[in-house]
């Protein structure tokens, strides 16, 4: 339910202020769920109420995203996220050890978005919304790392997310 609290907090920010949410690991779930809720999606049987959404420009940066690679697809857990977010940057790490084990957490689980990126089959299902999500492979920098410090210490990663954070370049 923290995602609903985050959606509530965002709704209190004046609409003319753009918002960039950065989610790391399970935090990627929270920020994705908050934006999904703002677009009218249901979280754990609860609705935020799209009428409370002030229409901010919203961008997401997902680092070590512990979410299934297909959760943004129509009919999936966070299907409304890409309806509401201007852009999503997924920092992909093919060697993230904890997330390589992610599919073992439950039966029929999918691979983590952070490991696979958005799959071609997902892009087909997303249709035109697929242009709102970009994968940036940071494996060569982060290597087997998972924790946040593996991400924020690299100037190349900071440079890549700069435009998402500062909205200084149109998407």
């Amino acid at each position: 339910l923290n995602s609903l609290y985050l959606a509530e907090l965002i709704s209190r920010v004046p609409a003319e202020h753009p918002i960039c949410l950065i989610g790391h690991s399970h935090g990627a779930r929270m920020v994705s769920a908050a934006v999904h809720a703002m677009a009218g999606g249901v979280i754990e049987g609860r609705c935020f109420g799209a009428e409370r959404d002030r229409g901010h420009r919203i961008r997401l940066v997902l680092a070590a995203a512990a979410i299934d690679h297909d959760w943004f697809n129509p009919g999936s857990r966070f299907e409304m996220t890409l309806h509401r977010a201007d852009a999503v940057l997924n920092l992909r790490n093919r060697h993230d050890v904890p997330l390589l084990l992610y599919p073992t957490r439950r039966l029929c689980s999918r691979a983590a978005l952070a490991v696979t990126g958005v799959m071609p089959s997902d892009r087909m299902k997303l249709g035109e919304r697929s242009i709102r999500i970009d994968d940036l492979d940071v494996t060569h920098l982060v290597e087997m790392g998972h924790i946040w410090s593996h991400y924020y210490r690299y100037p190349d990663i900071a440079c890549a997310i700069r435009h998402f954070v500062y909205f200084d370049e149109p998407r």
Side-chain angles (χ1 to χ4, degrees):
L1 296 179
N2 288 333
S3 57
L4 296 175
Y5 297 131
L6 179 57
E8 176 65 31
L9 176 65
I10 292 168
S11 75
R12 294 171 187 247
V13 174
E16 62 273 10
H17 296 283
I19 295 177
C20 178
L21 301 171
I22 300 174
H24 171 263
S25 193
H26 279 96
R29 288 180 182 216
M30 187 172 75
V31 299
S32 298
V35 175
H36 168 77
M38 292 174 68
V42 177
I43 301 294
E44 295 185 23
R46 297 183 184 191
C47 295
F48 171 72
E51 69 280 354
R52 294 166 57 196
D53 181 5
R54 297 181 125 191
H56 301 89
R57 290 184 62 205
I58 296 178
R59 293 182 178 174
L60 302 177
V61 175
L62 308 178
I67 65 176
D68 290 16
H69 69 81
D70 60 354
W71 278 1
F72 293 138
N73 292 355
S76 294
R77 191 169 188 169
F78 301 141
E79 67 178 323
M80 300 301 291
T81 302
L82 294 179
H83 287 273
R84 182 63 188 84
D86 292 350
V88 176
L89 178 62
N90 176 47
L91 301 177
R92 182 176 180 215
N93 179 5
R94 294 174 281 114
H95 298 158
D96 185 317
V97 174
L99 292 180
L100 288 170
L101 300 172
Y102 177 87
T104 65
R105 76 191 194 290
R106 65 177 164 74
L107 192 60
C108 300
S109 183
R110 305 274 189 214
L113 178 65
V115 173
T116 65
V118 181
M119 306 285 281
S121 60
D122 298 327
R123 290 203 181 274
M124 290 202 41
K125 290 174 185 171
L126 289 168
E128 64 184 42
R129 284 190 314 276
S130 71
I131 64 170
R132 293 184 180 199
I133 185 165
D134 292 323
D135 291 318
L136 176 64
D137 195 330
V138 296
T139 305
H140 65 286
L141 295 171
V142 180
E143 297 174 345
M144 294 172 45
H146 176 79
I147 61 175
W148 179 233
S149 63
H150 289 116
Y151 287 83
Y152 71 69
R153 73 172 118 186
Y154 291 103
D156 289 350
I157 294 175
C159 193
I161 69 172
R162 180 185 83 212
H163 300 298
F164 283 79
V165 173
Y166 291 112
F167 288 78
D168 61 356
E169 188 175 279
R171 262 300 284 164

